[in-house]
Amino acid sequence: MIALELTGIFAFAVSGALTAIRRQFDVVGIVLLAGITALGGGVARDVLIGATPPAAFSHLGYFVTPVVAAAVTFFAHPAFERLNTAVLVFDAAGLGLFCVLGTIKALEYGLSPLPAAALGVLTGVGGGVLRDVIARDIPALVRPDAELYAVPAVAGTLIVAAFWELNIRTPWAFAGVVVMIFAVRVVALARGWRAPTARPFIL
Amino acid sequence: MIALELTGIFAFAVSGALTAIRRQFDVVGIVLLAGITALGGGVARDVLIGATPPAAFSHLGYFVTPVVAAAVTFFAHPAFERLNTAVLVFDAAGLGLFCVLGTIKALEYGLSPLPAAALGVLTGVGGGVLRDVIARDIPALVRPDAELYAVPAVAGTLIVAAFWELNIRTPWAFAGVVVMIFAVRVVALARGWRAPTARPFIL
Amino acid sequence: MIALELTGIFAFAVSGALTAIRRQFDVVGIVLLAGITALGGGVARDVLIGATPPAAFSHLGYFVTPVVAAAVTFFAHPAFERLNTAVLVFDAAGLGLFCVLGTIKALEYGLSPLPAAALGVLTGVGGGVLRDVIARDIPALVRPDAELYAVPAVAGTLIVAAFWELNIRTPWAFAGVVVMIFAVRVVALARGWRAPTARPFIL
């Protein structure tokens, strides 16, 4: 589980570092944006449920992983660019894992299902939103030209909350949701699936 | 009181959803921006005073209202555009109510008057600032071409804090401040009142 | 110590107010951006370590100083522009002081060295990042055309954490780090030192 979690942190950190490099941030900015992208969602969740200091500040691995990811990206980013698909796949794995783990943690803290699902989504997507706000991008989460991202996250966390309410709390059930979020995201990328937008204003 | 509060949440959520639609966010982005706009200020206040998990996560109505507002806006947004004035009036009511309720909650948590007033302002305007940051607008709160928004909020919360210190803690006194914030905002909109800016740089 | 701290708050508040004036924010926006710049880093640190309500909300001086700084800047900003160097020097002093004080506070709350250093950096640079996000600038912290800012902050907070672990906890040791951060920043400004960026993409 920890290995999976660190993989997700690594994938998110690489996406943050690549954004920072594209924006020509300096070396410190690269490390900071990698860390914020990787840890921001979980930190926000922990602050909201009152679990302070956040888990990210109490386990060294959470801290070291983004720094390593930033260093690797700093030197190897042209390869990562060519491996863009690999990064997106890692990121999709991180999304699935963080959404599910975040929802479970919020449920364990006694939140009711809908808020717990919302915090699961926050855990999964919060770091990427912070990354895009700092880099002055429209968050990929809400961009109309981006493939489905929040949709599988919202659906998956609602399923986790429903399982919890139905007392289906086995690792296999939750792992299934991780795989579902991951698969929907990857297929959406491959096929260019997008969510509908409102019909345009008649100006 | 709850009915008024949900009305304020609804109004803020509609303003978030309309912003998201103008920016062509997809359907999930519309719901998220509606929820962030409606609940962001109160959540920030609760995190700052240590009241975690925030109230928004413990009452279902707080959660459902933005979703409903987003759904309504998604289908009816051309009408809302024509009803832009109605939205602004609802928003002004929400501003007055949230500023006053936010200040009172902070005072009940033992904060001194000035910080409590600041948290009241945060409750009233925080969601809108988050909305504008995510949508990459200069926050309406500080834009020079926007009618008075923060001025009635700051004045109203200071009055609430003064009432509290003077042991004037009746519902009628606080309701009066809500009406005052609301009225100043609406009249400012109607007459185009603006706050002064610093004299320009001589370049 | 308090006098130094209020000096740092004043310097940060002036930088926030100057940014707001350049962006033509109105008078309330100037006060708000001054306050957010001056207090944002410390508030974020306190929220993350669970020290709520944050120190900034419990001491009146923390609140009054940014308002005074904003008022002074509002009327005197052409002088501050000519005194731009003075502002940068004040800001560097605030950076050094806040980084060190933030790290110590996190260590006192029982965090381990690396997270404590990260929170020290957040204390020192967080307000400026919020200022730049609200004003829609790329944060100065990560801009490649900005002189060293995060580098001395990161180095200094790591040294403070190391001192703490080695039981070197004398005021003089910590004051030395404040001076070091300050000096590196000022010399970087004078000589135009910058941190390296990643080699550019070959497009």
Side-chain angles (χ1 to χ4, degrees), chain A:
Chain A
M1 194 58 124
I2 283 288
L4 263 176
E5 197 169 359
L6 292 183
T7 305
I9 288 176
F10 191 89
F12 279 156
V14 168
S15 82
L18 283 173
T19 301
I21 289 170
R22 284 205 194 93
R23 293 268 167 181
Q24 304 230 279
F25 288 5
D26 68 26
V27 63
V28 177
I30 295 167
V31 171
L32 289 175
L33 204 61
I36 290 168
T37 308
L39 306 176
V43 167
R45 176 206 57 210
D46 288 345
V47 165
L48 288 175
I49 61 178
T52 51
F57 291 144
S58 38
H59 299 300
L60 202 58
Y62 292 140
F63 245 72
V64 172
T65 304
V67 175
V68 171
V72 169
T73 312
F74 186 79
F75 292 109
H77 67 86
F80 273 113
E81 288 297 302
R82 286 192 299 268
L83 295 171
N84 196 25
T85 310
V87 174
L88 285 171
V89 170
F90 272 107
D91 181 84
L95 177 71
L97 195 72
F98 283 13
C99 282
V100 171
L101 291 177
T103 307
I104 293 172
K105 182 162 186 181
L107 288 164
E108 285 173 348
Y109 267 76
L111 273 76
S112 41
L114 275 185
L119 286 173
V121 172
L122 176 68
T123 309
V125 310
V129 169
L130 285 174
R131 174 197 64 210
D132 293 339
V133 165
I134 291 176
R136 289 207 311 180
D137 286 329
I138 290 276
L141 176 65
V142 292
R143 243 184 349 227
D145 61 338
E147 288 78 13
L148 292 187
Y149 197 86
V151 171
V154 169
T157 56
L158 288 174
I159 293 170
V160 169
F163 279 174
W164 189 270
E165 288 301 292
L166 300 167
N167 264 305
I168 305 169
R169 304 184 185 182
T170 65
W172 291 107
F174 297 136
V177 180
V178 173
V179 170
M180 186 212 80
I181 296 173
F182 171 76
V184 171
R185 169 68 178 155
V186 167
V187 175
L189 281 168
R191 307 234 169 148
W193 288 349
R194 285 164 196 185
T197 57
R199 61 181 186 277
F201 290 109
I202 300 149
L203 293 174

Side-chain angles (χ1 to χ4, degrees), chain A residues 136, chain B residues 138 142 144, chain C residues 18-25 135-137:
Chain A
R136 289 207 311 180
Chain B
I138 290 276
V142 293
Chain C
L18 283 173
T19 302
I21 289 170
R22 284 204 195 93
R23 293 268 166 181
Q24 303 228 282
F25 288 6
R136 290 206 310 179
D137 287 327

Side-chain angles (χ1 to χ4, degrees), chain C residues 68-113:
Chain C
V68 171
V72 169
T73 311
F74 187 80
F75 293 109
H77 67 86
F80 274 113
E81 288 297 302
R82 285 193 297 270
L83 295 171
N84 196 24
T85 309
V87 174
L88 286 171
V89 170
F90 272 106
D91 182 84
L95 177 71
L97 196 70
F98 284 12
C99 282
V100 171
L101 290 177
T103 308
I104 293 172
K105 183 163 184 180
L107 288 164
E108 285 173 348
Y109 269 74
L111 273 77
S112 40

Side-chain angles (χ1 to χ4, degrees), chain A residues 48 50 115 136 144 150 196 199 201, chain B residues 24 27-28 54 57 77 81 136:
Chain A
L48 288 175
R136 289 207 311 180
R199 61 181 186 277
F201 290 109
Chain B
Q24 303 230 281
V27 63
V28 176
F57 291 145
H77 67 86
E81 287 296 302
R136 288 208 310 180

